[in-house]
Each structure stands twice: as structure tokens, then as C-alpha cells.
Amino acid sequence: MELGMVGLGRMGANMAERLVGHGHHVVGFDPGAKAREQATARRVVTAGSLVELVAQLLPQRVLWLMVPAGEVVDATIAELLPLLSEGDVVIDGGNSNYKDTMRRGAMLAGHGIHYLDCGTSGGIWGLKEGYSLMIGGDEAAVERLRPIFSALAPAPDRGWGRVGPSGAGHFTKMIHNGIEYGMMQAYAEGFAIMQRKTALGLDLQQVAHIWQHGSVVRSWLLDRTADALDRNPRLDGIAPHVSDSGEGRWTVAEAIDLDVSAPVITLSLLERLRSREDDSFADKLLAAMRAEFGGHAIKRSE
Amino acid sequence: MELGMVGLGRMGANMAERLVGHGHHVVGFDPGAKAREQATARRVVTAGSLVELVAQLLPQRVLWLMVPAGEVVDATIAELLPLLSEGDVVIDGGNSNYKDTMRRGAMLAGHGIHYLDCGTSGGIWGLKEGYSLMIGGDEAAVERLRPIFSALAPAPDRGWGRVGPSGAGHFTKMIHNGIEYGMMQAYAEGFAIMQRKTALGLDLQQVAHIWQHGSVVRSWLLDRTADALDRNPRLDGIAPHVSDSGEGRWTVAEAIDLDVSAPVITLSLLERLRSREDDSFADKLLAAMRAEFGGHAIKRSE
Amino acid sequence: MELGMVGLGRMGANMAERLVGHGHHVVGFDPGAKAREQATARRVVTAGSLVELVAQLLPQRVLWLMVPAGEVVDATIAELLPLLSEGDVVIDGGNSNYKDTMRRGAMLAGHGIHYLDCGTSGGIWGLKEGYSLMIGGDEAAVERLRPIFSALAPAPDRGWGRVGPSGAGHFTKMIHNGIEYGMMQAYAEGFAIMQRKTALGLDLQQVAHIWQHGSVVRSWLLDRTADALDRNPRLDGIAPHVSDSGEGRWTVAEAIDLDVSAPVITLSLLERLRSREDDSFADKLLAAMRAEFGGHAIKRSE
Amino acid sequence: MELGMVGLGRMGANMAERLVGHGHHVVGFDPGAKAREQATARRVVTAGSLVELVAQLLPQRVLWLMVPAGEVVDATIAELLPLLSEGDVVIDGGNSNYKDTMRRGAMLAGHGIHYLDCGTSGGIWGLKEGYSLMIGGDEAAVERLRPIFSALAPAPDRGWGRVGPSGAGHFTKMIHNGIEYGMMQAYAEGFAIMQRKTALGLDLQQVAHIWQHGSVVRSWLLDRTADALDRNPRLDGIAPHVSDSGEGRWTVAEAIDLDVSAPVITLSLLERLRSREDDSFADKLLAAMRAEFGGHAIKRSE
């Protein structure tokens, strides 16, 4: 099939390459000349503008957006809209908020354009291993794109599916990432306890490798943990500073909105916030309170 | 090799069968006649008593304990001790507390008997897929038992290893189970949020299967989650009642003892306790307090 | 001073009575005839409609809204707006979201009307003990209403103050309620542990009373806890079902938005959600997962 | 009455002074010459050794221990035991673990000596405001010491009481401290959110003072928070480093032991542990994992 890839960053370029490798014709666009150049080297045809990109595709066109979630998606859609025709399909493969997706889908439906949301998991490994794809939107449109999804997924009939109406794909991906936060935090805590138990002299790298085979906690994330420990067994030089993108926050907000208590996913997010606190006001106040009521000594900051 | 298996419950019998399948000679003992009978049907030679069991093994004997953690281990060791000779090896393959293990190991060392602790993961699937084995204790003794561990593990050179001195195996298994609690809770929360989002009509079974391929959260526990949902998609008839064995509690206690904050593992345990609260006094008091200060209505219990 | 009270529910009627008791002239309105009647019995002049209410006040009028947060506030303001004149002051004394307050304040400022937000704490006890008032909005307008705030507060110069621009009062009240959740949960957990420690036969009512005098945990909420236990020492007949209004949720969302980790306030909210889960899907899934991988028995629901 | 105070540190000296102020005769001992000297200046008679101390008291003696919890208590009791006579009373007023207390009580009972445990709350403020006393042990012995407890408490008939058998006092105090952790953390989080909301320019000192009067969250700990903010409004120079003594840990362990989920008290403890982590291994591993699977940048430590 023919597909236009909008956004040739790490994810977009990888996905374009995987599609090309499966015999699809991909025309890509990125505002950055370097990104376009690199994509060309990976056998992706590139266009110098969105206008050019759309011009190189025959209706009914398929446009895959792989751009940063948020305003960039809205801006891209606004720029694409006058260029598209009825029956074209736009897919948002990024980590958009599902509520934005529903709003965009309704708007584009008003113009006869199908808007699919495709939660895309697999990270930089997806290029080789295939991506897990959770798709929301019109059933017929999803069916039409079967060859695309089949190529991106690990196997034609596995690792992808339409999970519901517009927004359902991004909702499912949001939950996926919430779970990911919780799993990562569980591993991180477990390894941290072992690391602190110096009396036993545990070799974390070895433990990770043992657990990869036969254990109840084996997982793809454990494989990555083993890789990380192989690369840097004591994690030297790494700052204890954990970023978060939006999906963890959205999962927490959604859970509360639905009156579901999700303490582990929630705490996983809070721990990331905490990791970036250099000088916690709460902790300073606690120390000050202890001094006030109990005369306990305060440690002075440097 | 020749090995005596003490305890032919679900785990012990499976492990005996796997060893037999790999050409080892296993003599098993269990106080229950039925357990012995079933083991016999699985090509395990059985003995009617510990005395008989030991009598059927040639020094230097290998005795594998697969009995409930706690007092039963101490009782079994006490019964075995007069029957054993210097150079024999006793392995505790259960979920004993690592501090008990260290105490037992020191005691048996005084009698010239090697005591190995083998944290064993894999559940009922270990029979076919092999077990992940984290071993603590004397290095030479572990080396001598290489054929046993190689047979129990998923592959001769993978999924097992000596991780440290006496106690290190059970310590590592304890942490493994703490991580397991956290991972399970993360999945459970994520699926619970999706289940509550009725507006999107998500099919949890389908989502689990999509995630099995290519996603960041794919894991052996996710495979089991998919199995559970295949078996009973809406979890009909299952009480929201989650048991816990000791390792989660020990992990929480150990983390605090080491001054490591492990909120996700800790909350995973607390959620299990909470699942078994039918009539929370804390929640009743909260409702009563709200009535006192705000005049808010109290819901009456039936 | 002269003041129009819109909303004569539990809080509005009490505040009107307290103002009347301090010599202010209060005209009240409530859509409910019974609420108006009861207010009349408490020496509050009542009006049969908002139009009548406004008509009975001389510019520059003071209108105090004590209506449910959310759409009712917007609807009330929309109805009031054409009746008001430049220089009038509208105060929202309810638990509105501070972002709504900022929006409303900006809108009314465009009409020359001052909009103050007054976070009001004290519950049903405020009538006698006075209210704690956190006020946001125009400094001169707050100053003009000094007699009103002085009368509502526990003492003329204590327990009230302008804390910042429009929205600051409701923001501060939101945080106040978040803290309240955390404190309540801390007490509830502590008493629940004592209640469960049956071997010591602790008398919770007695403990609460001992703590009221001289202890580090003495507080107004502890006094209410003691009242609750005096009234019903074993909390018989009270369902373990804890409601939450919006401020706890907003506090959690705000903390995350500001990248502040606030685990205790957050968990206090989640525990309330949890208290209302009768049949937790997460817990059912955990039980099902345990059965899948470990063969552990599932408890059947009735 | 006549009482021997063993330990003249901050708490012991204050309590001795309060007793003297109420007309009791207190003989104090402390191994430190300076502590003895300071106590003398506060009208406490001092003894140079435990032997001397006991010699100065008439049977049936009353010995109050105000020494660090743990081994010092055992050592002090061991030293006292041969000096005491049947019918003497020893009170442990410190923060001992209630299980140790039960063990010591049983041991001393075997020698005909009453052992009371007195959980003592009030901090350095107890000298002026009186202490809250939770007492465990023999009822008649408690009754005999009524004048002592009445003098230490805020009022003769308030703020103290026998709550149960040996250990019950320390158990209750342990829970008290767990609640204290939760309350402190709730305030600290709330103030931290306000501090971060720079757009509103909230004055935390002012907010604390407003809340002291009429609010639902008013408390003795809030008074101390206000004091702390009065002293140092921005908490300059205070390290975000929060100590914990044993009672918080014991509360968490006890709750789990009793199968009570106490997430807020538990998280309050974990936050204190977290405040002392300078270079969290868990957070470093999370950052490394993100790099492995998503190619996300790692922040380097300095």
C-alpha cells in the first residue's frame, strides 16, 4: 500500500522503514532537513512539505501522523485538512490524549475523513520486533488498512487490533503506559533493595539474567533491565532523575474520574515527580515541625 | 544423579517428575499416602518415611525439601539430622525466610552438612517450562549439584545460578515475589480502569492478547492474565479476595529495615490486605467523622 | 452591614444566622420554601426570588453565594448579572474550583462587579465557633467587607484574611480539604489498628479522650473523632462507605500538575474511592492470575 | 510523692521539673555530670549512681525510666533489679517497643516488681502544657501513682489513663506516633503544593495562622507549623532530611501483622526514608530502563 508518514523522528522513521521493508510505498515528511535526509537513506521517499506529500499520494490517501502529542497534532491536522479529500484516512500513531482524539475524530468525520487512533507500543525495538497496535475508529477504515497494521505488528495476525470507536486506541495505550510505569517501578524497587543489601553481595546483573528464564517475573521490561545492567552494572554516572510523559498523568486522572482506586500506578507516577525534587519543601517543613515540637535537631542544607 | 525429594505436594511432585524426565533418580517422601501414590504414577520412587527415604540414598546424599515454609522446615530438619552423614547436602527449595535459612545453614554446617537455599520460581508451569532457581550457599556444593539445577532450569545454562552465601537464594526469591506483587497489581489496576470505562466497550481479553505481541508490557504474567480472561472474560463468580503468602510482607519489612522506600511493592501488599477487609473500621470511622463535623449523611450498613 | 445570602442550606443558613447575631442585616433567598421558612425562624429576612432579593439591597450591594459548586454557581451568576450595578460585590463562599473562580472573576470584572472567593471552613460548628475564611480577590473590596468577615470568623482579627488575587481563596480551601483528607485517614488508620489488636482490649473512646489533652496529635478533628466514638463506640450500623466531594480530587490533580508528589493526600482520596468498591475488578483479576500461574485456589463469590 | 527519675535528658529533666513544681520529691540520676548539674538547677535532687538513687528512696519505691529505648532499658533494669524490693514500681516512660515491654513486665513480675509502661506525648511543650499519658500495667499500681500521673498530665483528671495490661501503653503511644507521621505528612504536602503555586503568591505563614482559628484542620501540630513558619518563613537553610525514630516502623509492621491496610501511615514513613536518599538506585534504574526501551535521554549525574 501507499502511505504518507508525517513526522520522521525516532518512531516515525523506524515505522516508515519497517513498512518499506514489508513492500509498502512510504512517502515521508518532516520539517527537519536532517530527518528527511536520514529517512531517504532508509529507502523512504521524502517530500519537502505537507503539500508535496499529499500531492504524491493517490486518493483514497492514508496519512500516518507520528508527531509530538498536543498542539502539533492540531496544527498538522489544520494544515492537512484543505489538502485532503473525502475518504482519506488520517491515523494518529502518537500518544495523544484520547479526549483530544475524540474531538479531532468528530471534526474530521464532518469532512468525510476517517480519523483512526493507533496506540503504538514497542519503543525503538519495534523496528525489528514489530509494534503492538491498539486501534480506535471506523471499522471499515481499519479493515482497509489491514496490510499496514499487519506489517507494523510483530506478525500479520498478532499484536494489533481495533479495540473500539474513536479514542479507544489512545485510551488503551494510555492504560498500557500506566501499567508500564507500575511494572518499571516494581522492578526498580526490587533491585534497589537488593543493591542496598550489601551483606549478601548480590550481583544484580546475574539476578536479572537468572530471572529472564523460567521466573514468574520474566518480561520484556526485565530483558531491558538486564540490558541496562549489562551495559552499566552499577549505573554509574546516571542521575536519579526520571522523566514522565503525559500518559501516566492521564491514567491517574482517568482512574480517579472513574472512581477506580489505582494506587500502584498512581504511586509510580508520584515517584517520578519525587525523583525530580532536589529540595523538597515538604521534607524541609517536616524537619522544621519536628524541631518545633520535639526539639529534634535540624540538618542544615549546604 | 540421585536425589531425595521431601514433600510431594504440587511443587515437589512436579519438580520430581521433571528431574525423572531428565534421567535423574528421585526417591520421594510425603506424609500423605495419596501424594505418594500420585508421585508413583509419575515415575517417582517413594519411601514410606524419612528414615526409609534416607536409607535408599547413597552418601553423599542430596535431600531436597519442598515443604511449607516455617515450622515444618525446622521439624523436617530435626528429623533428618540424625539420619544424615557429613558431606550430605540439604536444599530448601521453598519460600523460607532468608533469616531462618541463615540460622539453619549455620546449624547444619556445625554438623558438616551443606545447606543450600534455592528460591524456586515458575509455579505450576515449571514442570514443562523449567524453573528459575536462585541459589545460596556453599559454592562447591552448588557445583556438585549442577546436573540437578540444570535439569530443573529451562535450559542447562540458563535460569539458575548461585547468587551468594547461605540465605542469598531465599532473599533473592523474596524480592522476586515482591516485584511479582507489584507487577500483578499494575496489570490489575490497568484492566480495572478499562473495565470501568464502559463507554468505550473495550474487550479486555482482546487487549490482553494484543499486548502479548510487541508491547512494552508483554510478560509471562500478562500471558497468564490473558489465559485468565480467556477462561472467564468477565471474571464471573470470582470473589475479590486476594491471598498473600509471606514473601511480600518480608520484602516490605526488609525494605524498611534497609531504609529503602519501596512504595509500589508496599502498596501492592496493602491492597491485598484491603481486599480481605469486609467491614473496614477505618472507613466507618471516616464516615462517622464526616457526620460529626460536616453533618454529612452516613450510609447505614445492612 | 447589609448582605444578601443566596442559598439557605445548612451552611448558608448558619452563616446568615451568625451574621444576624452580630448585628448585620441579612436578606436571604433560597428556591426552597422550607429553607426560606426555617431561615425566617432564625431572624433572617427572606425574599421570594433573586430579583426581590436584589431589590431589597441598596447599592453597593453585597451578595454572598452559598450554593452547590459547579453549574449552579454559573447559573446563579447569570441570573444575578442583569440585576447588579457597578461596584456591587459577589462572594462565592462555597467549594468552587479555583479555576472556575478565576474565570468568573474575570468575567464579572468586565462588568465592574467585584467577585471574591471565600474558602469557608468550620462545617456545622462554624455557627457557634466561627468560620475560618480564606479570601481571594480585590483588596479594597475585601477591606470594605471587613465587618462581615470579622463576624463570621471566630474573632474579629483572627481566622480570616485575604490570601491573594481572585481564586487564591478557593485554592487555599482546596488544599485545606486535601490536608483534611490526609489527617482523617491517619486517625482512621490508627484507630483501626488499635481496634484490631483485640488482645490488648483497648477502649478507643478512652484513648481518644486521653489524646485530646497534651498529646502531639490533639486537634479539632480528634475532638470530633472522640464525639463520634462517644456517640457510637463500636460504630455499629455505619457502612464503611466514605464520600468525597471535589476538593480532594482537585488537590491531587493540582499537585500532579505542579509536579509535587503528595502521596498521603493522594492515597487518602484513593482510599475513599476504594471504600465504595463492592466488587473490585482488580482484586478479582489478581485472584484469577494467582490461580493461573500458581494453581492457588480462588474464593468464589456468593 | 517520692519518685526516682532515671535519665535526665530533655524529656526526663522536664518531667522531673514538672513533678517538682507540683510538690513531688524527685531524686534524679543521669550518667552525665552536666545533665545532673542542669537538673539540680531545676530543683531536682540528684544522685551520682543508680545505687545512690535507690538508696535515697523509701520502699515502696517508684522509679521512672526516661532513657533511650532498646538496650539501654534492658541494661538499666538489669542494674536496678538487685537494688529493688518487692512492691516497688518501675515505669518506662520512653518509646519502647510494646513487645519488649511485655517481656520486661513478665520478668519483673516474677520478682514481685510492678512494671508500668507509660507512653508519653507532648514533646518539649509538656513541661508547661502537661503530657498526655497512656499507661499499661497493673491497675492497683497505676492507681497508687495517681498523684504522679495527675501532676504530669495537663490536668489532674484529663490527658492520662490506664489503657490496658502491660504493653498497652506503649502500643497506644506507637499508634499515636504513626498517626502523628500521617498528620505531619498531610500538612507538609499541602503547604508544599501552595509553595509551588507561585502564580498565586500565597503567604504560607498567613495561611497557617488563618487555619489556626475555626478551620477543620486546626490542631496542635498546625500551631507548631505556624511557629516554624514564623521563625523561618521560607525554611531557608533547612535540609530536606527527615529522621524517624522506631515507632513509625513498628506501627507499619504491626498493621501488616494484623492484616490492616494503613496506607497513609505507611507512606508517611516511606517518605521519610525517601527524604534521606541522596542517590536513589531505583530512580537510576528507571532512567536506564527508559533509555533501553525507548531511547530516552539519560540525565548524567555530576
Side-chain angles (χ1 to χ4, degrees), chain B residues 208-225:
Chain B
H209 283 294
I210 291 175
W211 288 351
Q212 284 184 287
H213 306 285
S215 88
V216 167
V217 302
R218 64 193 191 259
S219 74
W220 189 81
L221 276 167
L222 178 63
D223 295 342
R224 300 294 73 75
T225 305

Side-chain angles (χ1 to χ4, degrees), chain C:
Chain C
M1 281 184 79
E2 194 181 72
L3 177 141
M5 178 68 71
V6 181
L8 298 169
R10 198 161 44 207
M11 285 294 283
N14 278 353
M15 293 174 83
E17 179 176 340
R18 186 169 172 96
L19 286 168
V20 168
H22 279 69
H24 295 289
H25 177 67
V26 180
V27 188
F29 166 73
D30 194 282
K34 192 164 177 195
R36 288 200 303 269
E37 205 176 300
Q38 289 173 334
T40 308
R42 296 164 84 178
R43 296 191 292 143
V44 178
V45 177
T46 56
S49 68
L50 277 185
V51 174
E52 259 185 51
L53 175 76
V54 174
Q56 293 189 39
L57 301 169
L58 292 172
Q60 301 175 337
R61 300 177 190 88
V62 178
L63 275 299
W64 189 291
L65 311 188
M66 214 66 204
V67 301
E71 292 171 13
V72 181
V73 176
D74 281 317
T76 306
I77 289 175
E79 204 178 332
L80 276 177
L81 187 53
L83 310 173
L84 299 181
S85 327
E86 238 186 272
D88 287 354
V89 183
V90 177
I91 306 131
D92 179 2
N95 281 323
S96 294
N97 186 301
Y98 80 97
K99 291 175 188 173
D100 289 334
T101 298
M102 291 170 82
R103 171 177 56 75
R104 291 165 187 151
M107 187 271 282
L108 286 169
H111 293 82
I113 294 164
H114 295 298
Y115 191 63
L116 303 182
D117 47 303
C118 180
T120 308
S121 180
I124 52 178
W125 293 71
L127 171 59
K128 282 192 195 156
E129 302 192 345
Y131 299 92
S132 191
L133 307 173
M134 306 135 238
I135 308 159
D138 182 71
E139 216 160 345
V142 173
E143 200 48 44
R144 174 146 49 106
L145 269 64
R146 176 175 284 274
I148 299 293
F149 296 129
S150 297
L152 288 171
D157 58 344
R158 294 193 310 186
W160 73 275
R162 178 186 176 273
V163 295
S166 181
H170 282 150
F171 185 93
T172 306
K173 177 61 178 3
M174 171 186 81
I175 299 299
H176 166 284
N177 283 27
I179 293 172
E180 175 190 311
Y181 277 41
M183 292 174 67
M184 288 174 70
Q185 181 69 26
Y187 284 119
E189 291 176 8
F191 279 95
I193 302 169
M194 291 192 288
Q195 187 257 1
R196 190 69 68 83
K197 189 70 175 181
T198 48
L200 292 178
L202 298 169
D203 175 340
L204 304 189
Q205 197 180 350
Q206 180 205 18
V207 171
H209 283 294
I210 291 175
W211 287 352
Q212 284 184 286
H213 305 285
S215 88
V216 167
V217 302
R218 66 195 190 256
S219 74
W220 190 80
L221 276 167
L222 178 64
D223 295 341
R224 298 294 74 74
T225 305
D227 290 349
L229 291 166
D230 284 348
R231 196 184 302 281
N232 186 349
R234 293 182 312 178
L235 305 181
D236 290 327
I238 298 176
H241 184 282
V242 194
S243 298
D244 78 284
S245 45
E247 309 85 49
R249 295 162 182 253
W250 299 335
T251 306
V252 170
E254 186 71 33
I256 292 174
D257 214 48
L258 292 167
D259 281 2
V260 175
S261 171
V264 153
I265 292 178
T266 302
L267 262 292
S268 299
L269 171 66
L270 298 196
E271 284 303 294
R272 292 192 176 194
L273 306 186
R274 186 70 182 75
S275 79
R276 282 142 29 199
E277 288 263 14
D278 285 324
D279 190 35
S280 159
F281 191 82
D283 290 340
K284 290 157 78 167
L285 186 54
L286 287 169
M289 287 164 78
R290 292 185 83 243
E292 287 298 331
F293 74 76
H296 302 290
I298 283 177
K299 194 179 165 191
R300 312 308 303 184
S301 58
E302 289 133 39

Side-chain angles (χ1 to χ4, degrees), chain A residues 98 121 129 189 197 218, chain B residues 98 129 197 218 254 264:
Chain A
Y98 81 97
S121 181
E129 302 192 346
E189 290 176 9
K197 189 70 175 183
R218 67 193 189 258
Chain B
Y98 80 98
E129 301 192 345
K197 188 72 174 180
R218 64 193 191 259
E254 186 71 34
V264 153

Side-chain angles (χ1 to χ4, degrees), chain B residues 99 248-258 269, chain D residues 249 253 256:
Chain B
K99 291 176 188 171
R249 295 162 183 254
W250 299 335
T251 306
V252 170
E254 186 71 34
I256 292 174
D257 214 48
L258 292 167
L269 172 67
Chain D
R249 295 161 183 255
I256 292 174

